[in-house]
Amino acid sequence: MSIPIVLTLVVAAALAFHFWSPWWLTPLASNWRQMDDTLTITLVITGVAFVVVNLFVAWAIFRYRHRDGHRAAYEPHNRRLEGWLIGITTVGIAAMLAPGLFVYAKLIDPPHDARAVEVVGQQWQWRFRLPGPDGRLGSSDPSYVTADNPLGLNPKDPANQDNRIVDAPELHLLVGQPVKLLLRAKDVLHDFYVPPFRTRMNMVPGMVTQMWLTPTRTGRFDILCAQLCGVGHANMRGVVVVDDKPAYDAWVAKLPTFASLQARHAGAAAADPLAAKGKLLAQTKGCAGCHTVDGSAGVGPTWHGLFGKTETFQDGSTAHVDEAYLAAFIRNPTARVPKGFAPLMPKVDLTNDELKALIAYIRTLGANAAPTPTPAGLPGTTPAAAPIPPAPATPSAAAPRVDVQLAQNSLQTPRPPAQYGPLTPSAPANQGTQPSPPSQPARRPGQQTPGLPLQNDSRTNMPPLGVPPAPSTNPPPSGSAQPSVPMIRPAP
């Protein structure tokens, strides 16, 4: 008798939790109310099946319980019962799947007046591209990816020259205007998801997927990645801001064009080619996904002001951040873990020349652009090897700022100081396990971790995302070229 009672209580508790649950859908902010309707149909059908099956099991156990003097009847087949079960199951499954198929067919068929916006995902950051006055997005290909061209736009395509580049995790949309989102990924599988819009779509490397929506109310909405894409997956956040016409036009007017960005970064790359090469490595090796360049919080320590400071570690020890420290830390990142961070960084396969370039780039982001003397050469170099060349200096007091601006994002606005929650390591820093490759999540046995630091920003509940360094015109170094996978060109 206890089993029928337990099953009945489980059904009653599940129904009560559903109707009085505090977790409901976020307010709708797009035209896709049909998404809510298909979800409601699925909940109703599966809910009815859950109640009927469990109550039937409880009734059968009670009705056919063991009683003295009674013997069970053996009936191996009942064609009438089997027919009813097959018919009801078929209708239920069709009722769940058919609406979703119709909605998906509409989701990938944008209206003719929809404005095109390109969304590019990379571990672990978002970038965007808008067409210029001609309304066209130019072609792109991974072979064009460089530090000054992170989106891989074809510089010879005239349609690219007036395209607006959003080199920040914040996209603005016009309320009431249909928008077609062209989605592509540069490294692994991502998924562009804004919960109040109800729409989401996978971003597959080597191809362009698309969906469309019409924002129906103004506000700020979080962008999430809905596919596990690496150790920084939870920190791959962004913001969609839905504006009215004046605010949207003012935002678009401030966006730089692809042509202007190319011209702006050409001089910066010529001023310090080694640092420009390091910026490219920070992009191709995934460093920019965890380490920010504007001082905001990220998965790892920010590179802004890192060079020249005194770093404190979890064991209470300290070290001066110079070339030797950075070389040792990059070679073995879990040997000494900075205080407030978890030992998540994998070992990165870098040659000595690549290591010098990356350190030169980090040096340009330090509080003082002038390098400190290197007590010893980088690993693998001989005593006669030339040290990392210092950043160019001029008599002007503003000279250090030239190098800093090399990596600053022209679209990133300074944020007010924020408080961050402490981060407790999930495992000892010097454990003997072999870290995973850069694109794979590190396997971490041991105790639980409270999570990544979150910013107390009243405008949104997302932590600031590491904005990648500004691009350069130098070609990618040998051995680190992007795979030549042709992109699908968006229709004019």
Side-chain angles (χ1 to χ4, degrees), residues 301-311 321 325-326 362 365-367:
T302 180
W303 286 354
H304 179 71
L306 177 64
F307 191 90
K309 68 174 288 191
T310 299
E311 187 68 270
V321 179
Y325 165 84
L326 291 174
I362 297 175
L365 301 171

Side-chain angles (χ1 to χ4, degrees), residues 358-382:
L358 189 60
I359 293 175
Y361 169 56
I362 297 175
R363 188 179 64 231
T364 65
L365 301 171
N368 189 348
T372 57
T374 306
L378 294 177
T381 60
T382 63

Side-chain angles (χ1 to χ4, degrees), residues 271-309:
D272 194 343
L274 190 64
K277 178 181 177 181
K279 287 167 50 181
L280 173 61
L281 288 171
Q283 296 290 337
T284 58
K285 299 294 184 179
C287 308
C290 292
H291 301 279
T292 67
V293 298
D294 61 350
S296 58
V299 178
T302 180
W303 286 354
H304 179 71
L306 177 64
F307 191 90
K309 68 174 288 191

Side-chain angles (χ1 to χ4, degrees), residues 314-336:
Q314 291 180 355
D315 59 3
S317 61
T318 60
H320 180 71
V321 179
D322 54 12
E323 286 93 343
Y325 165 84
L326 291 174
F329 183 85
I330 294 172
R331 292 296 192 195
N332 190 6
T334 57
R336 302 177 72 185

